[in-house]
Amino acid sequence: HYYITNNLSCRCMVAMVTMVAMIDEPDHGGGIIAGLTLPSQRKSLLPLNGTRVLTDKEKEEKKKKMLKILRDELFFSYHVGRCPDEYRFLLTEHVFTTCQQREQIMGLFFEEFKTLGLMFVPQEFLALISTGHRSGIVIHMSNTYTSIVPIWNLNILRNKAVVLQVGGQDVTRALELLLKQRRAEQVFRTSDFDPLVVEDIKEKRGYVALDYEGEMSKPAALSTEYELPDCQVINLGRELFQCTECLFQPHLFGIKNTPGLIGSVNQLIDTLNGQIKQDIVAQSVFLTGSSSMFPGLVERLRAGIAEKHSAVNVVAPPERKMSAWMGGSIWAELSVSKNLWTTKEEFDAYGPDVVHSKCF
């Protein structure tokens, strides 16, 4: 998946690309999403594949696939219609992306595609930029993980940031598990639920319960109908909010060693002190990411955080699914970002080490 904007004033292209991993490293076992580390050292409802260390041959094959994706789908598709050597690229990254991973991506873009310039920016930072604030706590809820990142006066406090190994895919897996359990109560003609159907149910009917225990105590008769692609109508009830509870109580679904969202936010706020805490708390907690769109999630967060930090406000912009993309479009035009670009000339002169002085 990718979103692109052509910035004609600075000949820049903002691209957030989800791609096949180029290299799997022993320390992480996960992949790279335009420089993002995918969490994979985790326990979830279903086992995650591909966590082993790849051979050199497999790494080379993955690199070739990644190059083909970029050439065919990003650079030369109807979405862009331009050659990569005509633009500079702003790539989003994970807040804990290593310099080694940036060097790999930088070498790919400069050596393979001859791009004019490159910049790496954490997507949480860009999401904050899109709100017009300089300080705050950004909760980025993606498909594979949830990050909680404090930012003070445009400085990312990485030593305080938290990454939870739970995201939208775990909600989907939880819903799939609950639907399979429901099959014992209802006679379904389908032998299994198509992943796209489960995803559709999650996105259209899933919600977060403000009071989970209270919602569970309500009669099971409170249900809603959903029509499957084969025109079969099934009844859905508690599973619609039970599946999202894995974001707040991961242990209920076998996701071990991962704290809940509200507890993690409160704990992070407690670790802040002095003027930094005052400035950040005076702003807000900003939600972003596709998995932050569930009805009831904002209210649950506000209530949970207010129990310990009543002065903290939770802001959920309507366009939060695209916050990082919007922030990237803004950041690429600001004069303050000019010194963060790495040019092709700098890369040729100093090599990939130049990235160490150009990243956040």
Side-chain angles (χ1 to χ4, degrees):
H1 308 284
Y2 48 85
Y3 307 99
I4 303 163
T5 178
N6 291 336
N7 188 326
L8 300 179
S9 62
C10 62
R11 299 290 291 174
C12 163
M13 186 176 296
V14 180
M16 292 189 289
V17 189
T18 303
M19 61 184 73
V20 179
M22 179 174 66
I23 293 178
D24 281 358
E25 299 184 27
D27 291 342
H28 301 284
I32 297 174
I33 298 182
L36 279 108
T37 305
L38 283 177
S40 62
Q41 300 298 329
R42 54 187 289 181
K43 299 289 186 180
S44 190
L45 296 173
L46 300 175
L48 295 178
N49 297 321
T51 58
R52 64 182 178 84
V53 179
L54 299 183
T55 64
D56 291 340
K57 183 178 180 180
E58 289 173 325
K59 290 178 181 179
E60 188 63 29
E61 290 177 352
K62 277 202 168 187
K63 180 178 179 180
K64 290 179 180 178
K65 290 181 180 178
M66 184 168 148
L67 291 173
K68 179 174 175 55
I69 290 173
L70 286 172
R71 285 195 183 99
D72 296 347
E73 299 298 332
L74 179 58
F75 297 136
F76 302 121
S77 71
Y78 65 89
H79 293 282
V80 181
R82 301 280 181 167
C83 295
D85 58 5
E86 298 179 6
Y87 287 90
R88 293 182 291 171
F89 285 82
L90 187 156
L91 300 182
T92 65
E93 64 176 7
H94 191 285
V95 68
F96 291 132
T97 298
T98 66
C99 288
Q100 181 183 3
Q101 292 166 340
R102 292 191 189 99
E103 290 175 5
Q104 294 168 355
I105 298 298
M106 181 172 288
L108 173 68
F109 273 78
F110 283 132
E111 294 174 357
E112 297 288 341
F113 301 121
K114 315 298 182 184
T115 55
L116 297 179
L118 207 62
M119 184 196 298
F120 296 94
V121 187
Q123 50 197 337
E124 295 86 356
F125 178 89
L126 295 177
L128 183 66
I129 290 295
S130 71
T131 67
H133 291 78
R134 298 175 60 90
S135 301
I137 296 175
V138 178
I139 302 177
H140 177 72
M141 305 181 69
S142 74
N143 189 48
T144 54
Y145 68 93
T146 298
S147 60
I148 309 170
V149 181
I151 301 174
W152 177 64
N153 198 26
L154 297 184
N155 292 292
I156 299 173
L157 307 182
R158 278 188 170 83
N159 62 325
K160 303 292 185 180
V162 177
V163 176
L164 306 179
Q165 310 300 340
V166 61
Q169 69 178 10
D170 295 289
V171 178
T172 303
R173 290 170 174 174
L175 180 57
E176 182 180 8
L177 179 65
L178 292 165
L179 290 174
K180 288 179 178 179
Q181 293 174 351
R182 191 71 180 271
R183 186 180 291 116
E185 304 173 14
Q186 299 186 50
V187 180
F188 297 156
R189 291 194 299 271
T190 53
S191 59
D192 201 358
F193 285 95
D194 185 281
L196 294 178
V197 173
V198 179
E199 192 77 18
D200 187 66
I201 293 174
K202 179 190 77 171
E203 293 178 357
K204 292 182 178 179
R205 303 296 178 86
Y207 68 96
V208 174
L210 181 60
D211 179 6
Y212 180 72
E213 298 300 331
E215 199 80 3
M216 286 293 293
S217 64
K218 292 182 180 179
L222 296 177
S223 62
T224 181
E225 292 184 345
Y226 179 85
E227 184 176 343
L228 297 172
D230 61 359
C231 297
Q232 180 184 185
V233 177
I234 61 174
N235 291 320
L236 301 172
R238 291 173 176 168
E239 55 269 5
L240 296 179
F241 67 85
Q242 281 180 290
C243 64
T244 60
E245 193 63 22
C246 69
L247 299 171
F248 300 92
Q249 301 186 71
H251 66 276
L252 295 180
F253 295 89
I255 307 175
K256 300 179 181 179
N257 303 320
T258 298
L261 181 58
I262 292 176
S264 297
V265 175
N266 285 330
Q267 186 176 1
L268 184 148
I269 295 174
D270 289 337
T271 63
L272 303 175
N273 51 59
Q275 188 62 44
I276 294 178
K277 183 174 183 178
Q278 293 181 22
D279 292 345
I280 289 180
V281 171
Q283 298 299 320
S284 299
V285 173
F286 299 94
L287 276 176
T288 180
S290 57
S291 297
S292 67
M293 303 300 294
F294 292 109
L297 187 142
V298 178
E299 290 77 11
R300 176 79 172 268
L301 268 177
R302 283 173 179 162
I305 296 175
E307 291 180 359
K308 196 170 183 180
H309 303 95
S310 58
V312 177
N313 184 32
V314 178
V315 177
E319 67 283 354
R320 58 188 178 275
K321 285 181 66 173
M322 306 288 287
S323 292
W325 178 81
M326 296 169 61
S329 301
I330 297 170
W331 184 248
E333 293 192 55
L334 298 179
S335 58
V336 69
S337 69
K338 288 183 178 180
N339 294 331
L340 296 175
W341 287 101
T342 300
T343 65
K344 181 68 165 60
E345 291 74 18
E346 290 174 324
F347 178 81
D348 292 338
Y350 305 106
D353 287 345
V354 70
V355 72
H356 297 286
S357 61
K358 295 281 187 172
C359 56
F360 282 77

